[in-house]
Amino acid sequence: IHTNLQAQPPAAPEDVNHHVEFAIASGVNHVWRLKELGISVRGARIMEIGPGLAFGCAAYLRACGAVVAVSDRWLASWNNVFHGPVYTGIADRLAHEEGFDVSPLRRMVEAGDYVEGTIRCINEPSENLASIQDGEFDAIVSNAVLEHIETPAKAFAELFRVTRNGGAGLHQVDFRDHRDNSRPLGHLLLQPEVFLRKTMRLNSDLGPQLRQPDYASLLGEAGFQIVRYESNQSADEAYVDKVIARLARTRMAQQGWTKDTLFDLGGLFFLTKP
């Protein structure tokens, strides 16, 4: 079962607090990064793809005055035991801060659902955002989502379509093997046909064999302008050298990955739509 579809998300106080802290930290980062890209959050139409169990970042942006939506093939349903405390915690933290309106979060908790005027929920995969009009959003954001998309080229074309001209994108991508963080490049040693079988069995949760230059190329082909890319995760150099030596003995050596490409384990793409 996909994580978002579990019957009861972890809702102990420490779990709730983790989601509250993450929501505020990610929300703060999104606000100033979007500002760098020319997007003022108040009044902006912002969609987060793959928001996870708690739509905390979206809730923060809503409290900032944005018109927000979340989209996922497996969008997590409302759970009173979990979502009520999370959104209450976010609202309580922001209630006395200048510039925030937490009433939409309070209304969600009171109604026990994402009622109109709070967070719009879209149960659609990034490859087919059929209910969304062309240019409907000022900005689209994601955190560790693009590496799980089955057909990136199709998804990026859709994200480009639903972003307005002059709009922006912020996407954190994790290139690691998700099975074992101590061996973050282990999945690159799998032959393509083996990798495909494994990643399909795991609902694309294995991690990508695509690397940063591949994503940059696909985003560019979709029409996005890459303003910049900030790498924020890196592999141990000795480990990379061992992986390169192993790759040289396999068909995967044909991929032409450089040491710098393998060293980069994840980062943030800053995008605009011309």
Side-chain angles (χ1 to χ4, degrees):
I1 298 176
H2 193 275
T3 302
N4 289 354
L5 302 181
Q6 59 185 289
Q8 179 58 61
E14 58 269 23
D15 299 311
V16 170
N17 186 63
H18 166 76
H19 285 284
V20 170
E21 295 293 337
F22 183 79
I24 293 173
S26 61
V28 168
N29 286 334
H30 278 83
V31 168
W32 67 262
R33 284 165 170 163
L34 287 171
K35 187 176 181 180
E36 286 184 57
L37 293 172
I39 304 295
S40 176
V41 169
R42 185 170 299 280
R45 302 161 300 166
I46 303 173
M47 178 170 70
E48 181 180 12
I49 59 172
L53 283 171
F55 310 157
C57 181
Y60 181 95
L61 295 174
R62 181 67 188 89
C64 288
V67 178
V68 296
V70 292
S71 176
D72 198 315
R73 175 181 298 163
W74 296 292
L75 202 61
S77 299
W78 181 281
N79 182 288
N80 272 328
V81 175
F82 174 72
H83 291 101
V86 169
Y87 296 134
T88 295
I90 297 171
D92 288 347
R93 287 281 299 274
L94 301 178
H96 304 294
E97 299 285 337
E98 185 177 353
F100 292 96
D101 176 12
V102 299
S103 61
L105 279 60
R106 304 288 194 203
R107 284 193 285 117
M108 290 193 304
V109 175
E110 182 178 356
D113 203 356
Y114 301 103
V115 293
E116 185 175 356
T118 58
I119 297 176
R120 174 185 171 192
C121 296
I122 304 169
N123 286 86
E124 295 173 348
S126 297
E127 294 94 335
N128 184 22
L129 299 168
S131 69
I132 303 176
Q133 298 179 4
D134 294 357
E136 189 169 334
F137 290 99
D138 299 298
I140 299 177
V141 302
S142 70
N143 180 34
V145 172
L146 298 191
E147 68 268 20
H148 299 296
I149 291 175
E150 291 182 7
T151 51
K154 186 175 181 181
F156 298 167
E158 273 290 83
L159 297 182
F160 185 83
R161 179 185 68 79
V162 304
T163 303
R164 70 162 169 84
N165 294 340
L170 283 173
H171 300 285
Q172 173 71 32
V173 186
D174 185 347
F175 307 126
R176 296 175 298 177
D177 185 332
H178 290 28
R179 298 171 300 176
D180 185 353
N181 286 342
S182 69
R183 298 178 179 179
L185 302 175
H187 60 320
L188 301 186
L189 299 169
L190 298 173
Q191 298 299 331
E193 59 273 16
V194 177
F195 174 83
L196 181 61
R197 288 198 301 270
K198 287 181 177 290
T199 196
M200 289 181 66
R201 188 170 66 248
L202 295 171
N203 292 320
S204 299
D205 282 348
L206 177 58
Q209 284 195 322
L210 297 177
R211 312 313 292 165
Q212 189 274 339
D214 302 315
Y215 281 96
S217 178
L218 290 169
L219 288 164
E221 290 172 8
F224 287 108
Q225 177 183 347
I226 299 176
V227 177
R228 71 176 186 276
Y229 168 78
E230 293 182 355
S231 177
N232 48 39
Q233 298 181 79
S234 57
D236 176 77
E237 187 170 2
Y239 171 72
V240 172
D241 287 338
K242 291 179 180 178
V243 170
I244 289 175
R246 291 187 62 186
L247 285 170
R249 299 191 293 269
T250 73
R251 277 190 290 148
M252 300 306 289
Q254 300 171 10
Q255 296 288 343
W257 291 316
T258 66
K259 185 172 182 178
D260 286 343
T261 297
L262 297 178
F263 188 71
D264 183 8
L265 295 181
L268 181 65
F269 285 95
F270 291 73
L271 311 175
T272 56
K273 178 177 177 177

